[in-house]
Amino acid sequence: MNVMNPDLAAPDTGATPELTARDFTTDQEVRWCPGCGDYAILKAVRGVLAEAGRRPDDVVFISGIGCAARFPYYLASYGFHTIHGRAPAVATGVKMANPDLDVWVVGGDGDFLSIGGNHLMHALRRNVDLNLIMPNNAVYGLTKGQYSPASATGMRSPSSPSGSVEAPVNAALLALGAGARFIARSADTLQDHLPGVLKAAQAHRGASFVEILQNCVVFNDGAFEAVRDKGLTADRTLRLEHGKPMIFGKDRDKGIAVDWPSGTARVVPVGDGGPVYDVTVHDQTNLALATILARMDAPDLPLALGVLYHVPADDFTAQRGDAPRRVIDRVALTGLLSAGKTWTVGETDAA
Amino acid sequence: MLDQPTPPDLSDNAAAQGPAVIRFAGDSGDGIQTLGAEFTKSSALTGHGFMTFPDFPAEIRAPAGTTFGVSAFQIQIGGDRVKTHGDTVDVLVALNPAALKTNLSALRPGGLLIADADAFAKRGLEKAGYAANPLEDGSLDGYRLEAIEISRLTREAALPEGVTKKEAETARNFWALGLVYWMFAQDRTPTAAWLKSKFAKRPEIAAANTAAMDAGHTYGDVTDMAPPPRLRAVAPASPRPGTYRTLTGIDGMVLGLAAASALSGLRLHYCSYPITPASAILHGLAKLGGEGVATFQAEDEIAAATAAIGASFAGGLGVTGTSGPGMALKAEALGLATAAELPLIVIDVQRAGPSTGMPTKVEQADLNLALHGRHGEAPLPVFAAAGPGDSFETVIEAARTAVTFMTPVIVLSDAYTANAAEPWRLPDVDALADIAVDRDIDPDGFHPFRRDAETLARPWAVPGMTGLAHRLGGIERSAGSGHISYDPDNHQEMTDLRAAKLDHIRGALPPAAVTAGTDAGRVLAVGWGSTQGALKTAVEDLAAEGHAVGHLHLRHLSPLPRGLGEIFALYDQVVVAELNSGQLRGHLQGLFPHVSFRGLNKVTGQPFTVAEIDAALREDLS
Ligand SMILES: Cc1ncc(C[n+]2csc(CCOP(=O)(O)OP(=O)(O)O)c2C)c(N)n1
Ligand code: SF4
């Protein structure tokens, strides 16, 4: 016999009140460097939360350590600023204890890909219902500018004065390899794009992984100029839309054509009323396409932004099938204690 | 290491009612642990007090017949005073030469040795490194040797049941068990019933094993292989009335955690990464799935600890368990739980180290790690379980402390307690006190680090509760508002507060008490954890001889109980006995500089014997 645990938030039933970004704003002074890309990400997140309409009391932000990991202090929800790299594991525990919460995990590229690489991989493969957002500035901000696992080979930094010799991690590819079922990419400045991606991530039940290219004005300024520079971005990035041909360019005159047998993509001209039949249509459920998209990069190909891959499946809680609201009671305990072989010593044998 | 003292006189004519020690030894493929478990069950049902000691190799399947593949199981059975698995063995059953070689030193002079003569052929002897057959060369003259063709007799008994020759031979362990049952006049029917259900799908195997057991039993009868009279006279215990079961330290932890969940109404989340010997807790709790207990096999010990912290943050009872090397990995997370002031239970089933050390052997050398192994000053309670039954109580007390005071608590067990089994009287579940969880938190003016004056605990608001949204973190927070603070005086205040919490916990725990021997006098033996049985037995024996010696066993290693200094002052000498090089002694010496402490230490991977402690205490008494 089990009793119900009254502590856990019940699923939202009643009408949700109208919320604004303000409802998710704390009184804490935000302490990022002026011009840091994290401000824009914070703004987008607050807006998305307001729109989603979950009570702030049912929203949880878990983070590791780093500049990006300071998010929880600035969001008027439940929050837990934990230890470097371990936020996905903490969040997994939160979800085990209460699957009804809307749980977000925030970490930088160092947090998620370096010290926490293992935990990220396992949260993704387990498909824990978490919204994992990774502001990627391709550098360690908080510890003052060392190269990170996402830094380009050759990057000079205090810990790599002659240039890093290490190959960077492709986060989207890593997430795909780990079995993530929602993978998206956006950038801090793309306020016409980032909120939509975050909204889709939140709506996805299971682990959603969003890489957000983020400018660190102090230690890696301009690292993603292709995305951020208004003059360049149209030609250097591709905005994905499920079911739509993959067309990009200022004049929408370029398309991506995938050569399936070789698993490669190339840019093909589009327009002038010419044939568009060889431009590949984005299918976010196609794992092979997602792999190709994740790898596209300058100089030959645009960077793919938007939802690269989205195939829902049962999340961790559903797979486990255990009911967190059930709590063992004394009757059940008595049964457990006396399970197996027991023997009784009678009153008469009393010493 | 201590010198082995001369064992007390256990010859056949000595005190008739003493307990007896039996050890079964054979190859790891011989089913020695099964045999031990069955003998234990039968001992329990015939009303004997007992304590067991499974001693198995770290290798899963070492090459058959080698000395490093030997598996052994020792049990002491007898009256009420059995608190250890016994120092020296009265009856040794050796199923092959390697088992004889590695276990003979435990057999007392004049003790009974039963060997399978068939296994002492050329190949087996060579593998064990014997130049000559010890059963024939007179080297065993100091013992009472019974070399029996167990393999042949087993085959003859088992083959008619329709099994293969190989299957018949593997019933050897049950032949030996049957013989030992006869020697101790124990009941075979529970084992026969167990075989029947275990091999329900292959009844001929059950029949073959039962036939072998019966044959062994009959052998004792017809050859009238008279056991030493003292053994036949082993007295049953006269325990308190009640319902009993066999409990290992692992069972104690598993059931204690389930009880903590029931008493608190909190769902238990046990997060762990496999490691010997702690894995068995994960296995035990996983079996209870659906009973309000959730288990999570994390990717490593760091994830296990942090997931447990996450579960506690979200309102569950987060528990993580591990052994030595895994404990080292959890250090950073323990700092976080201390700073965030969340309840958490961390179980460390210690094993011999350093590093991978000897995973299946016992040591108490993680005490310093438990007491001090965190960065910054992060004091937290450290409790130790003194045996299987005590594991149940200790873990409940740990949960109560964690929830009441909003703190992580470390519970130490060890490889000996984990696997040892003893009879355990089932507690009256209705009499167990609730673990109160106070969720009556007023959102008006709520802040997450406002403290209860009595416990210094902060309120445990959990995500989902209306109006109580808050942020926690490992960054130092203002004692007033709970917001991030780098203020120097505030850090001093918070550090002092965290330390003061331990004082409040001390106040809630029972005071120190001498539990065996005399309340004052020459020597006080202080111990902790699994050494309790040996210490208590030695002290009681010495006290019975008229010596002024007492025994004090510490469950609470941090905070230490009240009144300890006063008790120390009542004795001329305090001996601190532990299976390490003096970790508790060093800790106590620092806190009680005027007390003269002497260490009784052993780091061999084996538990203390009563005789070792007896000899060491006598040095101070003479
Ligand atoms: C165990 C541990 N190791 C190292 C650190 C130091 N540290 C803090 S943040 C950080 C890297 C931050 O980089 P990133 O995650 O990319 O975040 P950013 O600051 O760039 O947003 C490091 C190495 C730490 N806090 N804990
Ligand atoms: S160091 Fe870089 S990432 Fe950190 S706050 Fe400053 S700009 Fe942002």
Side-chain angles (χ1 to χ4, degrees), chain A residues 31-33 35-38 67-68 137 141-142 214-219:
Chain A
R31 295 200 199 163
W32 286 309
C33 306
C36 175
D38 284 334
C67 297
N137 53 16
L142 195 75
Q214 175 235 331
N215 197 41
C216 171
V217 279
V218 178
F219 297 114

Side-chain angles (χ1 to χ4, degrees), chain B residues 135-399:
Chain B
L135 304 186
E136 291 162 1
D137 67 3
S139 61
L140 299 171
D141 284 351
Y143 307 96
R144 183 175 149 198
L145 171 66
E146 292 285 348
I148 308 167
E149 293 165 274
I150 296 180
S151 294
R152 179 179 63 81
L153 294 168
T154 301
R155 264 195 318 271
E156 283 172 9
L159 270 176
E161 304 298 335
V163 292
T164 66
K165 190 163 164 258
K166 192 153 180 277
E167 284 165 346
E169 274 172 2
T170 53
R172 270 188 331 145
N173 56 340
F174 283 94
W175 196 97
L177 183 62
L179 177 60
V180 180
Y181 275 166
W182 178 82
M183 288 177 53
F184 290 93
Q186 285 197 4
D187 191 3
R188 278 167 297 160
T189 44
T191 299
W194 176 81
L195 280 167
K196 214 167 169 177
S197 75
K198 166 102 181 153
F199 297 105
K201 292 218 177 81
R202 304 234 13 223
E204 73 280 12
I205 302 268
N209 280 299
T210 310
M213 177 169 68
D214 291 344
H217 196 269
T218 311
Y219 182 92
D221 213 4
V222 296
T223 57
D224 201 15
M225 199 189 80
R230 196 181 64 74
L231 300 188
R232 271 251 127 149
V234 165
S238 49
R240 285 172 66 199
T243 302
Y244 285 77
R245 61 172 281 168
T246 297
L247 193 83
T248 65
I250 294 291
D251 296 336
M253 289 286 172
V254 168
L255 296 174
L257 289 173
S261 173
L263 300 178
S264 62
L266 297 170
R267 184 174 157 90
L268 184 85
H269 296 274
Y270 185 77
C271 310
S272 181
Y273 185 75
I275 184 168
T276 302
S279 299
I281 301 177
L282 177 61
H283 304 167
L285 287 166
K287 257 195 251 166
L288 307 186
E291 290 284 358
V293 171
T295 56
F296 173 54
Q297 182 177 314
E299 54 270 26
D300 60 26
E301 285 85 352
I302 302 174
T306 45
I309 290 171
S312 283
F313 172 63
L317 182 58
V319 184
T320 184
T322 189
S323 299
M327 194 61 188
L329 289 181
K330 292 181 194 291
E332 189 193 12
L334 286 183
L336 175 67
T338 306
E341 301 186 44
L342 283 168
L344 175 76
I345 300 171
V346 185
I347 297 170
D348 177 6
V349 187
Q350 302 164 96
R351 56 189 219 176
S355 189
T356 309
M358 303 195 290
T360 57
K361 305 299 175 193
V362 66
E363 199 165 283
Q364 295 182 302
D366 293 352
L367 178 61
N368 279 342
L369 179 67
L371 291 175
H372 311 294
R374 283 165 298 287
H375 64 287
E377 292 201 354
L380 53 77
V382 178
F383 298 172
D390 196 54
S391 299
F392 178 82
E393 287 164 29
T394 304
V395 91
I396 293 175
E397 192 175 53

